[in-house]
Structure formats: structure tokens, C-alpha cells
Amino acid sequence: MSETVNNANGVKDKSGLAAAMQPDASSPDEYDLVIERGEAKAIGLESIEKGLTALWQAAAKPRPGDTEQAVTRACVFNLVIGVDDDEMLAEVTETIAQITWSYPCRAIVLVRDTDAVGSEVNAYISAHCQLPTGAGKKVCCEQITVVGGDAAADSMWSVVLPLLVSDLPVILWWPGDPMLHGNLFERLLDTADRLVVDSRSFANPTTTFARMAELAQQDSTTLTLRDLCWARITPWRNLMAQFFDLPQYLPYLRQVEQLEIHYEAPADNTHPNFSEALLLVGWLANQLDWQPAFSLQRRGNNASLILNQGGAPLTVVLHGHNDRVDDLGGITQVKLIASRPGSAPHETIMASFTIALSDDYEHAITFIDEDDMSLVSRNSLFPRRDQTELLCEDLAIVRRDVFYEAALELAGHFSPKTN
Amino acid sequence: MTMTAPNPMSTLVENPLRQGLRLERTPEPSVMVIFGATGELTHRKLIPALYNLALERRLPTNFHVVAFARRPYTDESFQTEAEASVNKFSRRKPVQPAVWDYFGKNIHYVQSDFSNPDGYRKLGELLNQIDQEYGTRGNRLFYLSTNPSDYPTIVNNLGQAGLASPQNPGSSSWARVIIEKPFGHDLASALELNGTIANVFRENQVYRIDHYLGKETVQNILVFRFANNIYEPLWNRQYVDHIQMIVSEELGVEGRGPYYDVSGTIRDMLQNHMMQLLSLVCMEPPSTFDANAVRDEKTKVLRAIQPLTPDEVVQRTVRGQYGPGMIFAKPVPGYREEERVPPDSITDTYVAIKLFVDNWRWAGVPIYMRTGKRLPKRTSEVALVFKPAPHSLFNSPGEPPLEANTLVMQIQPNEGISLKFGAKVPGSTMNIRPVTMDFRFGQSFGNTAADAYERLILDAMLGDSTLFARRDEVEQAWSIVTSILDGWKLHMPPKFPNYEAGSWGPQEANYLIERDGRRWRRL
């Protein structure tokens, strides 16, 4: 029997790593702890399926106070997750636990252990159970955590493949900056139906966007690309679209003069994350037929970009602010300045369309200024969503999002130059 | 294959930024006008459904509600009551203040009698004002949540006030009307109501709501049948012995005596919910999943059911009314003892019926339907009972036959699908027991299903009428049910009450199926 290797969340504690590596020689009671306390249990690589079977047999036993027959094991897809450290492991474990009720799955978490020596790979199993709101069985799903050092990275795919539940989709979720190359990633990508990333974590967004756009082209018949950042900017896209639901403002979309995007940037000006802003620009560029003209020019946390709008230049300006350290990269304001011909000869009417987050970051205020007159001002709900909510929202959408892929491709062309 | 996102700038007629966002099924900016806004349906279902849609960001930001009713309220006092309704009836209660701040303040109230043209003039002015201030573009969804006798008055007044037509001719603005059941009380009245509506609204503006069609499990009948290839070869008279359908409730009339006593179970459940289920189960595959293609096929099923002759009504229908009994160990009164029900009422609270769909697929396959109040439990199921294997290998002489394979689509509760088949009991002898393979929505997808009204209101706002009843469907269903009602008029009703509350209905209903050598499923 292994020593305790888990904290209260069922997450591996490195101090227990050595003990966890013992081969599986468990008594059935040990699996009770996995079910009842949500603990992770160390298990030999070849014994994972056997251990899971024992786990579910333990789960099926009636317990004191049970009114229904124990639990139901459910699985609607395989969720393979790559994480870089224990902190990220804790976050994704929490997310897996939370999505169980809506999306029971087999979660296989690959953890990069930078302290590991050699090519050893260790595995742990745990269960996440949710009680239904009314009467009924508890619904449980399983998590397999596979830990290995850099030297093991090339071989970890061989642990994953036999663990995939047959005939179910494979979703590869990479919450950190994805490698997008290398044996592990390419092998995993070969089996995946969907790749989910969060471009806020990209160190070099435009390079990674370009690489992802290539993936979309190569694997367009099978692989669906998703980005939690795209889900974050959906409310911005929606609010921007709503301005132009009013037919009188539609002509402004033919002649956009400038686009200003304000976003949260780090205080030290070192690594501003433009992902959200660039995706928004990429989306507008695709919808409005703007072409990249010059590369992104970066000055500290600010940047500018020139696009070609039917032969006329269009300036995009990104302004970094440092108001919320917990939302770095998040957009806080978008302003589109545009013109249209007036009724008199050579008359031009200017208008600006602005969406700004309120001080409480819970609402968005939208307003239109036309010909120096403030016309429409509205306040709408703008709830912030955490990683779990974003992931659930994404999992609910089955089809490919060609609009995201088009935005991605354009955003990949905005390679930055630093002045 | 390379898929590219279309570029819409070449023709800037529609908003190019809307493309792609439509995937998320966000309707266009619009106003929903609820007639009968102080009624129970509005507070129990409509306002909570709209709030839930707002909470899930399914409504456009530019969305307003206008409540139209006779009672005196201000915008503010109605908003307060609406908030209380959400707190009481929403599946997402309690109210989130931030959501209510944005949703609640967009609720307006117009006080008027339904027959007063001034009320419609005031309504028109308010709608124009909302259009101008909030960009709702003349898009209006009228919801008739009133007594059905008010429908003609409201529809005619909407027409006379010029509110039934799109407000900006030449643009894509729209006006639609949702009408709650019952759509008439027999064929003649349904024809008359549909005629009145057709004088004011085109059929593609009319959304006849039957909330059963908004249930996920009902929609899943279509998916189960037409997204999977393995069932289709079995889904016909070659393999199906008979079909059973049940919609049962343990509840009585719950204070709705005056309504129920003139409608009865046959009008309240069979004419609408059960006929909809029947048409979904028996329809041919539509060529596309388009509103009219689906409804064409559903209507064909109803057309293939011949109205019953008076003799067939005697042979193939059973009506019942509950007497006192026990539900969950508590005594409950009989129907005639219910509040505001006449003590000599001959209204049916139970109906069992045997129908045939006379077409190539279903000829000779009996469809047994039963529905009633004060039955032992609430359940809605459709079961296809298959024919036995052609040659019995495993039955010894004297043993009962193996149980039939049965495919059950459980509409509510415990939504799901199960297939019953025989399996060998482990051991040295060849013993066979029936077992089931179960799929449960709650276990595979979590408890996330939206309320039927949320789905249907959203569909109406999006202009998708697939899950709404079309005029000819309603009239065809009424022609079947009216033939039964006419047959019943020719004969003395049974001696009511004829079943005990908490039982599975009158004994005659058992005879109805047992004389064909079959049995009701044990539920």
C-alpha cells in the first residue's frame, strides 16, 4: 500500500512520488478511499485498466445511507490534457470535477514533472462524482494522471493510446502554451478530434496562431480547433454586431477609419499578451474584408497595425492598461471609428461605436457618437466566465467554427516588430 | 477539404458581423408582447423562461418585453411581480441581481381590455418608441397567453392596429404570433379559429405552441430515428407487433375544474400532446430538417389515420373518470368531488384508444394509447413492442414465451431510451431473463436540459417553426378526435366513476388490449 500521495483535492503531492511508484497491490478497501474522499491512487502503468475496474466495483457497493444503487459510470468523450506543472494540474483537476455533471468523461492528464530524473512515468487514478439534483444515481467519471519528466515526453503518448475509450471522441485540451510540435504532441494530435487551447497563454501569439492555422488546413477534415479566448471575445463580437443591426449604421462598415482596443497589460511592459485583441482584429478583418498590410509595431504595452481596406489604410491601435492583474490580456474597451458619405456632395459623416467595460467589470456600456452627437447608450450584462465555464461553453458546440479559423489565419499574419 | 468563412462585404444588405454569431442562436433585437401577462402561465413559465434565456445570454441585448393585461399595474409594480415569479418558479432561482438589472428594467406594462382599440394604439406607440430608442427594428413576437375565447378579439385588434405586419416593409423585420393550446374545442371551432387567424397573419407568422414538442426527449425521437441507421430497418410492420403510448399523471384537476370539465382528457392531452408524439414516432423521414418538410411528414401520418365510425368508437375507445382513492398513501377525492366540478359530471379523466395508421409502413400495427389523471404515477413513454423471434429455440413446453423485445422512449421523468432483450442467466442451464440496455439523458449529458418554453420561445424569435403545430396538423388531429367525440355523443357514457384514483384506469381499458392477445406494459 502506498503512502499518502495526495492533498485534499486528490492532487499528487511530489513528496509522495516515490511511494506512488510502487506497483499496484491494492486491497478493495483502498478503492473506497478513492471514491469517498476523492483521493488519487498510485498505480502501475500496466494495471491502470484493472485498477479502474476495481475502482468501479468498489463504487458500485451500496453504502450506509444510500437510497439508490450506488453510482453510474458515465463517459461521453476522452479528454486528454497536457499540463506543465502541479499548479496547473490542480486547476484542471478542479475543472474536470466540475464538468463531470454536464460532461462525464475519461480524463487523462499528462503532467510534465521538471524535477523528474530519467524517463520514468508514473500514473494515478481518481474519480469525480456528482450527486444529481433529485433522486437518482451518483454520476462518476474517472481521471488518470500520468506524470513524467522531459526525458519521458517522447514516450508518454504510448500510455495514452491504450487508455482511450473506444468509439468516443478524443478532445485534446492544452491549457498552457501548446508545443504544437514534437513527438508527443503530434502523436496525440493524430488521435484527437478536437484541440482546445487558450491563446491567452501563448508566449508568441502570432507565431502560434499561424501554426494553428496550418493545422486547420492540414487536418481540416478531422480536427476541430477551439480556443477559450475565442469564447471570451464572443460577447465583444456580439455587442459589436448589435451596433450594426440598426440598418442606418450599416454603411459605416464600408469605411472604417480606426480601430482602438484597450486591454490589460503587465506593469513591467515586458510580455503583453495581444491574443484576445488580435483575434478580435482577425475576426473583424475577415468579416469586413480587411487585409494585413504591415506587421504589428510594438512599443512597450502599446502596439499599432496597418490593414488594407479596399486599398485604403486602416489603423488598429492597441493600448495596454494595468488595472487588473488577474485579467492580463483581457479586452476592456473597443472603439471603432468610421465614416460614411452624407447627403450633401462631398459631405462625410463620422461616427464612433464604443464598447467599454464598466468599473465593476460586470457590465458593458455601449454607445454611438455620430456627427459629434451622442445617440445611443446602453448598459448590458457582461459576466466574467472562469476556465470551467469557458470550457463547458466550448464543449457544447460540436461543429467546426470556420469563422474562428479564418480569424486565426489573419491574426497569424500580424507578426510583431518591437521598436 | 478546406472550408472558408464566407465574406459578406460584397453585398452589404445584412449585417456582416452577424455571420458566425448565428451559430450561437442569438435572435435579432426584438420585443415580445405578452397578452394575458398577469395570468398563471406568464408567471410560472414565460417570465422565468425569458429570465433563464437572459441569464444564459441567449437573448439579444436589445430585447424588451411588453406585458399587456387588464389589471392595473405600472412598469415598476409589474417588474416587481415578475422578479418574484422568477424567484419562485425559475429553474435558475434565485434571481441574480446583475441579470435582473439588465433584463427586468426592459419590461413594460400596458393596461387595457383586450377588446379596446385604444389599448392597441398605446401598444403601437410604445413599440415604436422602443424601436427608436433601442433599435429593435420593428421585430415583434406576440404571445397569446389568455383565455382561448379572447384569441379572435386580440388577433383582429392586432390586425386593425397595423401591428400584425412587418413594420419596415422591404427590410427583414418580422411580426410573429405564438398561440397557446387549445386550438379550438372540436374540428369546427378549430377551422373557425384558424380562419380568423389567417385573415390577419400569414401561416408562416403563426406559431401554435405545444410545449411537449419543446421537450428534449420529444425532439430526440427525431434524432434517434433519423440520425441512426440501425433502427430504420426495424421501424415498420415487419418487425413491430404494436406500439404503446402513455401519458399519465398522479395529479387531479388541481383547481382547474371549470376548464377541465368542458375539455376532458381527450381534448387536454390526446388531441395535442399524444397526437404529436404519435406523428413523430410514425412519420416517414423528411427530405430535410426544415420546418415544413418535417411538418409535411407529421401531417401525412395524421391523414393516414381514418376518423372512427360510431361503431369503431365503441370497439376501440374507453373513457373513464376517477373516483376517490389513494395516491402515495394519501386519500384523494373523486373527480366529481373536486372543487368547482359538477357532481354529475360525465367528463372523461381517462381515455384509452386503439388506432391504426393506414399506410405502407404501419398497416395492421395497432397503436394503443392511454392517458389519464389520478393514475399511480406521472410518466410519458412511447414503446415499440417487437414481434417474437420466428422460431423459438429456448422455450421448453409449458414455459411462458420469452418477453418481447421492447424499445422504450421515456419522455418524462428519467428521460432516456431503453431496449429490452433476453440474456442468458449465468449457470449450467439455459435460463433466459429479460434485461435492458439503458441510456439516460441525465447520466450522459447532465441535468442541463432547458425548459420547453425556453427552447420554443427562442425558436419563435429565430423564425424556426419546426417544433410548432401547423394549421393542417391541428385540423387533422381534430378530425380524428372529433369523430370520437361524436361517437361518444351517440352512446350513453359509462357509469362514472369507473376507476379508483391511484389505479391504472378502468378495467375496460385492459379488455381493449387483452382481447387482442396483448397486455399493457407494467409501469
Side-chain angles (χ1 to χ4, degrees):
Chain A
M1 194 171 114
S2 65
E3 293 172 25
T4 301
V5 291
N6 311 290
N7 62 23
N9 293 324
V11 175
K12 180 182 66 66
D13 176 343
K14 281 189 180 169
S15 63
L17 206 60
M21 286 156 51
Q22 293 176 8
D24 182 50
S26 312
S27 69
D29 290 348
E30 287 181 64
Y31 290 101
D32 289 346
L33 298 178
V34 178
I35 293 291
E36 287 166 8
R37 297 189 196 167
E39 290 183 352
K41 175 176 167 32
I43 195 156
L45 292 180
E46 294 82 9
S47 307
I48 293 174
E49 283 291 3
K50 200 171 143 193
L52 289 170
T53 303
L55 178 67
W56 294 114
Q57 281 171 350
K61 283 192 309 192
R63 288 174 166 71
D66 277 356
T67 52
E68 284 269 350
Q69 180 70 35
V71 301
T72 289
R73 177 189 191 180
C75 186
V76 295
F77 52 72
N78 297 284
L79 182 61
V80 181
I81 309 164
V83 299
D84 289 333
D85 52 44
D86 281 1
E87 188 184 342
M88 210 181 270
L89 171 62
E91 281 174 25
V92 300
T93 299
E94 182 60 30
T95 297
I96 294 164
Q98 289 180 31
I99 68 170
T100 298
W101 186 225
S102 300
Y103 300 100
C105 58
R106 172 174 282 190
I108 305 169
V109 188
L110 306 178
V111 187
R112 181 181 172 211
D113 182 0
T114 48
D115 298 339
V117 181
S119 57
E120 201 152 38
V121 177
N122 300 299
Y124 309 81
I125 56 174
S126 53
H128 300 286
C129 296
Q130 296 280 341
L131 275 170
T133 45
K137 294 176 181 177
K138 199 188 273 185
V139 176
C140 293
C141 69
E142 58 216 6
Q143 175 175 336
I144 304 158
T145 306
V146 183
V147 184
D150 287 343
D154 269 2
S155 64
M156 281 169 80
W157 63 269
S158 65
V159 181
V160 175
L161 293 192
L163 292 174
L164 298 175
V165 179
S166 311
D167 293 326
L168 289 180
V170 177
I171 296 172
L172 177 59
W173 175 30
W174 214 273
D177 195 2
M179 298 178 283
L180 293 180
H181 55 77
N183 199 33
L184 173 62
F185 196 82
E186 283 168 13
R187 292 275 195 162
L188 293 176
L189 218 50
D190 279 346
T191 63
D193 298 284
R194 176 184 298 203
L195 169 64
V196 182
V197 297
D198 184 349
S199 55
R200 259 199 198 176
S201 64
F202 291 0
N204 298 298
T206 53
T207 311
T208 314
F209 285 151
R211 170 71 182 125
M212 284 184 65
E214 281 173 26
L215 285 176
Q217 296 289 330
Q218 287 168 8
D219 290 314
S220 57
T221 51
T222 56
L223 185 69
T224 304
L225 297 179
R226 318 291 303 191
D227 185 346
L228 300 189
C229 224
W230 185 248
R232 278 191 202 97
I233 67 167
T234 296
W236 292 96
R237 294 192 295 136
N238 210 12
L239 288 172
M240 184 58 78
Q242 280 178 14
F243 285 130
F244 303 98
D245 285 332
L246 299 170
Q248 65 266 36
Y249 298 126
L250 218 41
Y252 285 108
L253 289 180
R254 288 186 186 280
Q255 191 57 53
V256 176
E257 307 287 341
Q258 183 163 309
L259 176 66
E260 294 176 17
I261 300 176
H262 298 250
Y263 75 102
E264 291 294 343
D268 58 6
N269 284 358
T270 49
H271 293 99
N273 190 299
F274 298 125
S275 295
E276 268 186 53
L278 292 183
L279 277 179
L280 190 70
V281 178
W283 168 68
L284 282 166
N286 179 64
Q287 301 303 107
L288 302 176
D289 203 13
W290 304 340
Q291 301 299 325
F294 295 96
S295 301
L296 190 76
Q297 301 289 317
R298 189 187 141 205
R299 290 182 186 82
N301 283 337
N302 297 332
S304 64
L305 178 68
I306 306 291
L307 297 170
N308 177 346
Q309 179 188 220
L314 183 163
T315 309
V316 177
V317 185
L318 310 183
H319 295 292
H321 299 268
N322 183 238
D323 298 322
R324 286 177 69 102
V325 289
D326 62 342
D327 197 33
L328 291 180
I331 296 172
T332 56
Q333 183 176 315
V334 179
K335 184 176 186 180
L336 188 143
I337 302 165
S339 63
R340 67 169 172 85
S343 49
H346 310 298
E347 183 192 18
T348 299
I349 298 176
M350 299 292 294
S352 68
F353 303 85
T354 307
I355 310 162
L357 285 189
S358 60
D359 291 341
D360 62 5
Y361 284 75
E362 292 288 335
H363 294 80
I365 302 151
T366 58
F367 44 97
I368 300 173
D369 284 297
E370 188 179 37
D371 219 8
D372 293 329
M373 285 170 46
S374 184
L375 295 179
V376 180
S377 175
R378 264 176 239 138
N379 193 334
S380 57
L381 190 67
F382 201 95
R384 288 161 59 79
R385 291 158 296 163
D386 62 19
Q387 177 172 265
T388 305
E389 290 168 311
L390 291 168
L391 187 65
C392 281
E393 200 173 297
D394 184 80
L395 292 172
I397 302 168
V398 177
R399 68 188 84 186
R400 261 180 87 176
D401 189 341
V402 291
F403 295 90
Y404 167 67
E405 290 175 13
L408 186 70
E409 188 177 357
L410 281 160
H413 285 96
F414 306 148
S415 302
K417 287 182 180 168
T418 308
N419 290 339
Chain B
M1 186 180 72
T2 300
M3 293 171 73
T4 53
N7 189 293
M9 283 300 285
S10 50
T11 52
L12 208 59
V13 179
E14 295 290 338
N15 181 356
L17 302 184
R18 273 272 159 236
Q19 283 200 339
L21 289 171
R22 284 181 188 143
L23 287 175
E24 290 142 33
R25 288 175 60 85
T26 305
E28 295 170 285
S30 48
V31 185
M32 180 162 149
V33 182
I34 304 174
F35 291 93
T38 54
E40 194 180 350
L41 179 71
T42 303
H43 286 280
R44 289 182 81 98
K45 292 290 182 185
L46 304 185
I47 294 288
L50 289 170
Y51 167 81
N52 293 343
L53 288 170
L55 182 65
E56 291 169 5
R57 300 187 299 282
R58 308 300 294 272
L59 295 178
T61 303
N62 320 358
F63 178 76
H64 287 244
V65 176
V66 177
F68 189 110
R70 301 181 183 104
R71 294 187 204 166
Y73 279 98
T74 62
D75 287 359
E76 292 73 22
S77 62
F78 188 81
Q79 287 166 10
T80 305
E81 282 219 350
E83 186 176 5
S85 300
V86 175
N87 269 322
K88 194 168 176 188
F89 298 115
S90 167
R91 67 186 172 88
R92 305 285 300 270
K93 61 189 175 189
V95 161
Q96 290 186 17
V99 178
W100 192 259
D101 280 351
Y102 122 84
F103 171 73
K105 71 178 171 49
N106 290 349
I107 299 178
H108 315 261
Y109 190 80
V110 173
Q111 185 196 352
S112 173
D113 193 273
F114 298 137
S115 59
N116 184 354
D118 270 354
Y120 295 85
R121 185 185 47 73
K122 274 193 295 185
L123 173 64
E125 287 168 3
L126 176 60
L127 291 174
N128 286 336
Q129 185 191 334
I130 294 170
D131 283 346
Q132 285 179 5
E133 288 183 19
Y134 301 100
T136 42
R137 305 175 61 183
N139 295 329
R140 284 104 196 244
L141 178 63
F142 301 105
Y143 200 117
L144 273 51
S145 170
T146 65
N147 190 312
S149 61
D150 291 320
Y151 293 168
T153 307
I154 296 168
V155 166
N156 285 328
N157 273 292
L158 285 173
Q160 282 161 17
L163 296 170
S165 314
Q167 297 302 295
N168 305 313
S171 77
S172 58
S173 71
W174 45 262
R176 298 176 188 137
V177 61
I178 299 181
I179 299 173
E180 268 288 338
K181 79 173 180 79
F183 319 115
H185 55 88
D186 57 14
L187 180 59
S189 58
L191 287 167
E192 187 181 343
L193 175 61
N194 281 334
T196 302
I197 294 168
N199 286 336
V200 177
F201 290 97
R202 293 188 311 278
E203 180 61 25
N204 65 7
Q205 293 178 279
V206 182
Y207 292 70
R208 294 176 191 81
I209 194 166
D210 180 338
H211 72 270
Y212 244 60
L213 288 177
K215 291 180 184 295
E216 291 285 346
T217 36
V218 173
Q219 294 162 45
N220 194 50
I221 294 173
L222 287 171
V223 174
F224 184 73
R225 289 195 56 199
F226 303 130
N228 300 293
N229 199 26
I230 58 170
Y231 307 108
E232 176 59 21
L234 310 176
W235 211 272
N236 55 48
R237 63 192 302 273
Q238 302 297 332
Y239 293 95
V240 176
D241 178 75
H242 70 282
I243 297 173
Q244 291 192 26
M245 296 173 58
I246 182 165
V247 177
S248 66
E249 295 178 290
E250 79 271 19
L251 296 175
V253 292
E254 305 296 301
R256 294 194 306 151
Y259 159 75
Y260 201 83
D261 205 57
V262 293
S263 86
T265 288
I266 192 166
R267 290 185 176 92
D268 192 48
M269 299 299 284
L270 194 120
Q271 186 275 336
N272 36 67
H273 302 330
M274 294 193 82
M275 286 296 175
Q276 289 290 343
L277 284 179
L278 172 67
S279 55
L280 289 170
V281 170
C282 295
M283 69 191 274
E284 295 297 317
S287 54
T288 61
F289 193 61
D290 155 77
N292 277 329
V294 172
R295 297 188 298 181
D296 284 346
E297 297 303 336
K298 284 169 61 193
T299 307
K300 280 187 205 167
V301 173
L302 298 174
R303 284 202 192 110
I305 301 171
Q306 295 302 314
L308 277 65
T309 65
D311 282 348
E312 286 172 331
V313 170
V314 173
Q315 294 293 318
R316 289 168 32 191
T317 71
V318 172
R319 49 182 158 160
Q321 187 189 80
Y322 62 85
M326 302 286 278
I327 298 277
F328 296 124
K330 285 189 183 156
V332 295
Y335 176 71
R336 290 175 175 177
E337 289 83 50
E338 296 273 14
E339 200 182 331
R340 295 188 291 164
V341 169
D344 57 351
S345 170
I346 55 164
T347 296
D348 49 285
T349 62
Y350 177 97
V351 179
I353 181 173
K354 180 169 88 170
L355 291 175
F356 289 95
V357 177
D358 296 329
N359 63 15
W360 195 274
R361 184 187 287 265
W362 295 114
V365 178
I367 297 163
Y368 300 96
M369 305 162 87
R370 53 179 169 156
T371 178
K373 287 194 170 292
R374 286 290 190 220
L375 300 183
K377 65 178 179 184
R378 172 176 167 262
T379 190
S380 299
E381 291 185 15
V382 179
L384 274 70
V385 182
F386 289 89
K387 292 179 177 175
H391 174 58
S392 175
L393 289 177
F394 303 108
N395 269 82
S396 304
E399 280 186 1
L402 298 176
E403 289 192 26
N405 295 138
T406 307
L407 180 76
V408 179
M409 288 170 279
Q410 178 92 28
I411 310 300
Q412 65 183 17
N414 300 322
E415 296 82 352
I417 292 171
S418 70
L419 177 65
K420 184 168 75 174
F421 58 95
K424 182 180 177 302
V425 179
S428 57
T429 53
M430 191 58 84
N431 287 331
I432 297 171
R433 289 251 181 92
V435 294
T436 57
M437 282 199 299
D438 284 335
F439 154 73
R440 291 281 166 262
F441 271 87
Q443 288 161 11
S444 291
F445 298 117
N447 193 14
T448 55
D451 180 83
Y453 278 94
E454 293 168 34
R455 167 67 196 259
L456 293 172
I457 291 171
L458 196 63
D459 276 5
M461 291 167 74
L462 289 159
D464 182 351
S465 55
T466 310
L467 300 177
F468 293 84
R470 202 170 58 188
R471 175 180 182 162
D472 51 354
E473 258 181 292
V474 168
E475 291 171 0
Q476 202 59 44
W478 269 122
S479 80
I480 300 162
V481 168
T482 302
S483 73
I484 299 170
L485 291 167
D486 289 346
W488 284 354
K489 278 183 205 159
L490 297 174
H491 299 93
M492 285 289 287
K495 192 178 172 197
F496 285 158
N498 59 351
Y499 71 97
E500 184 187 3
S503 73
W504 278 113
Q507 186 59 35
E508 289 76 13
N510 293 334
Y511 300 150
L512 174 77
I513 189 167
E514 285 170 6
R515 66 173 170 246
D516 294 344
R518 302 180 177 101
R519 298 176 66 86
W520 293 116
R521 296 174 48 243
R522 193 172 55 247
L523 297 166

